[in-house]
């Protein structure tokens, strides 16, 4: 997708602050962090929203969580605790239409989320 900012990161046209990368996934620091640690775990395949997932994506979605766990570990947050969030569509707060798992840590989290 030529006009997708996360696809531009995957293609290397925009350089994020990357904390993890492999052949399927890239993870980088959010430009507008909502917690002391705020990383986005992004599949390299362009998938607009959770609604666009199909059965074949199940391993990839599982991988996003494994990478979230790894990033939390490498940032020293795994035992302390972290929150993972994936917004779907505008009313839920999605602003970039290429799925991504937010991984937030380093402060007390409230529930319910706003
Ligand atoms: P969402 O609102 O759930 O779609 O999350 C999109 C996230 O992408 C927001 O938290 C933004 O701060 C973040 N974001 C947007 N542009 C960039 C960028 N260039 N580098 C890093 N994070 C970004």
């Amino acid at each position: 997708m030529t006009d997708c900012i996360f696809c531009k990161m995957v293609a290397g046209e925009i350089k994020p602050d990357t904390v993890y990368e492999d052949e399927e996934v890239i993870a980088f620091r959010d430009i507008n962090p909502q917690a002391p640690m705020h990383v986005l775990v992004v599949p390299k395949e362009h998938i607009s929203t959770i609604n666009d997932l199909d059965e074949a994506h199940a391993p990839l979605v599982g991988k996003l969580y494994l990478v979230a766990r790894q990033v939390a570990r490498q940032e020293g947050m795994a035992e302390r605790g972290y929150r993972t969030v994936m917004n779907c569509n505008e009313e839920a707060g999605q602003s970039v239409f290429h799925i991504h798992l937010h991984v937030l840590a380093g402060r007390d989290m409230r529930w319910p989320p706003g």
Side-chain angles (χ1 to χ4, degrees):
M1 267 238 168
T2 49
D3 60 348
C4 170
I5 188 165
F6 288 175
C7 283
K8 287 184 176 150
M9 291 174 179
V10 169
E13 294 166 29
I14 297 174
K15 306 270 184 220
D17 185 356
T18 301
V19 296
Y20 176 91
E21 184 167 12
D22 65 24
E23 64 284 352
E24 292 180 307
V25 172
I26 186 168
F28 51 84
R29 295 189 195 285
D30 197 293
I31 203 167
N32 182 24
Q34 301 301 309
M37 186 197 98
H38 187 173
V39 167
L40 303 176
V41 182
V42 180
K44 291 190 171 179
E45 177 183 349
H46 182 89
I47 303 164
S48 297
T49 78
I50 294 173
N51 291 336
D52 299 299
L53 290 168
D54 59 39
E55 292 290 327
H57 290 120
L60 180 60
V61 173
K63 177 82 178 279
L64 300 182
Y65 283 90
L66 293 174
V67 171
R69 181 185 67 177
Q70 170 152 341
V71 169
R73 280 180 179 159
Q74 74 195 35
E75 299 275 320
M77 295 293 182
E79 299 312 318
R80 191 169 156 184
Y82 55 98
R83 179 170 289 177
T84 56
V85 176
M86 188 181 289
N87 298 318
C88 182
N89 279 337
E90 280 175 21
E91 191 166 303
Q94 187 174 5
S95 60
V96 176
F97 285 77
H98 178 138
I99 63 166
H100 48 281
L101 192 61
H102 295 259
V103 189
L104 302 122
R107 65 167 171 82
D108 284 334
M109 300 287 165
R110 306 266 148 114
W111 195 264

